[in-house]
Amino acid sequence: MEKEEFAAEEIDLRVYLQILRRWLWLIILCTLIAAISAYVVSAKLMRPIYRAETVLMVQPSGGTSGTLQYQDILLGERIAKTYAEIIKSKALMDRLLTKLGYPTELEKLPFSVSVQVVRDTQLIKIGIESEDPELAANAANSLAQLFIEDRAEKQAERFSNLRASIEAQIAQLEEDMRKIAERKNVTRDQDLVRTLDQQLISLQDMRTRLLAQLYELRLTEARYADVITQVEKAEVPERPVKPRKLLNTAIAGILGAMVAIMAA
């Protein structure tokens, strides 16, 4: 029984081989036609697309010490995911278009943007694809810088009111000190001079305390600000990433051969 099944399978295999030999010319022809067609379309009809990439590193607030802890990496990765969405926001895209000299009312961007968070790192990879290689590199670097500036502005706003209040008080004290010094220079009343000297000492003490507060505020602002740096700038790409001529040709050839085999 087993010998009969084996013999049947052997006969079926021979039949298949005979069919392949008989229609081998068709299989080769379809493979060549499909492969050549795909190559011609990829090389002549499809426009080349260039890709430029830049890399940002996010260091979360409080993680600026020399030793980087594992929790800092986890926090940085979570923040990076949020920042990746902000980079693709319409507000930032409008600023990018304006910087590159395009109107913000464009229905279609002259390039495509992709943002990827590198797994288990604090890195954000920004990719720009365009038919113009110089535009791709310029847009990638410009978007990175605009994002860094935008985050710095947003983080500075948290302390701007308090900083402005302290700076206004210091300016007022300096103005009062200037007026007292002018009065002291023109008066000959020694009692008044001593009184003005005491006022000056008091105002100088207040100014010194306010300057210390302003210094501490700036330290706090730096301590609680996420540090974002562009660790790798985008270079002008020399070779296009699309179309992939060899890959398209190979896939088309395989599909052509499969169609020929099924038809045979």
Side-chain angles (χ1 to χ4, degrees):
M1 188 69 178
E2 293 180 357
K3 291 182 179 181
E4 293 178 357
E5 292 179 357
F6 180 77
E9 291 178 358
E10 186 176 358
I11 293 173
D12 290 340
L13 182 59
R14 288 177 180 175
V15 172
Y16 293 144
L17 290 175
Q18 290 176 356
I19 294 174
L20 288 176
R21 288 173 183 172
R22 180 181 178 184
W23 296 101
L24 182 60
W25 65 272
L26 179 62
I27 297 173
I28 295 175
L29 180 62
C30 290
T31 302
L32 289 176
I33 292 175
I36 293 173
S37 299
Y39 183 84
V40 170
V41 170
S42 299
K44 302 298 183 181
L45 301 181
M46 297 180 68
R47 294 182 178 179
I49 302 298
Y50 297 86
R51 180 179 179 86
E53 292 184 343
T54 182
V55 180
L56 302 178
M57 184 174 69
V58 178
Q59 192 168 3
S61 59
T64 56
S65 60
T67 58
L68 190 62
Q69 303 296 328
Y70 179 67
Q71 56 268 27
D72 295 332
I73 297 177
L74 293 179
L75 178 59
E77 185 179 2
R78 287 196 294 268
I79 294 174
K81 291 179 180 179
T82 302
Y83 284 169
E85 296 300 320
I86 296 175
I87 292 174
K88 296 182 291 185
S89 65
K90 186 179 184 303
L92 214 56
M93 287 299 107
D94 287 345
R95 291 181 61 182
L96 176 61
L97 288 173
T98 301
K99 185 172 183 177
L100 295 176
Y102 292 95
T104 57
E105 298 81 10
L106 286 177
E107 295 183 359
K108 184 180 179 181
L109 294 175
F111 47 79
S112 61
V113 181
S114 64
V115 183
Q116 176 188 3
V117 178
V118 182
R119 185 179 178 86
D120 297 329
T121 69
Q122 300 167 267
L123 302 178
I124 301 176
K125 185 179 293 185
I126 302 175
I128 302 290
E129 292 186 359
S130 172
E131 297 178 6
D132 184 348
E134 293 185 0
L135 173 61
N138 189 19
N141 289 323
S142 297
L143 181 57
Q145 290 303 315
L146 285 173
F147 173 69
I148 293 173
E149 293 171 4
D150 178 74
R151 287 299 89 197
E153 292 171 1
K154 293 294 190 296
Q155 292 172 352
E157 287 177 359
R158 296 186 297 175
F159 301 91
S160 60
N161 292 335
L162 181 56
R163 183 173 59 252
S165 175
I166 295 176
E167 290 174 347
Q169 293 180 60
I170 293 174
Q172 184 61 51
L173 285 174
E174 291 175 346
E175 177 65 18
D176 293 342
M177 291 168 61
R178 184 187 64 81
K179 292 179 179 179
I180 292 175
E182 290 177 353
R183 289 183 61 191
K184 180 182 174 182
N185 291 334
V186 298
T187 186
R188 295 182 180 179
D189 187 340
Q190 294 302 316
D191 292 335
L192 180 57
V193 169
R194 285 192 290 270
T195 301
L196 294 176
D197 283 338
Q198 293 176 355
Q199 292 179 1
L200 279 175
I201 293 173
S202 177
L203 291 176
Q204 288 173 350
D205 289 341
M206 293 175 62
R207 180 178 177 275
T208 301
R209 289 195 296 270
L210 286 173
L211 287 174
Q213 291 179 19
L214 184 60
Y215 178 75
E216 289 294 331
L217 178 63
R218 288 171 177 168
L219 288 180
T220 303
E221 184 176 354
R223 190 180 304 118
Y224 289 95
D226 298 331
V227 179
I228 305 172
T229 53
Q230 187 179 11
V231 296
E232 184 178 328
K233 288 189 175 182
E235 302 290 341
V236 178
E238 298 180 354
R239 296 181 179 179
V241 294
K242 297 176 184 178
R244 299 179 179 178
K245 300 175 185 178
L246 294 180
L247 179 61
N248 293 344
T249 301
I251 293 175
I254 293 172
L255 292 176
M258 294 175 61
V259 170
I261 292 174
M262 293 176 63

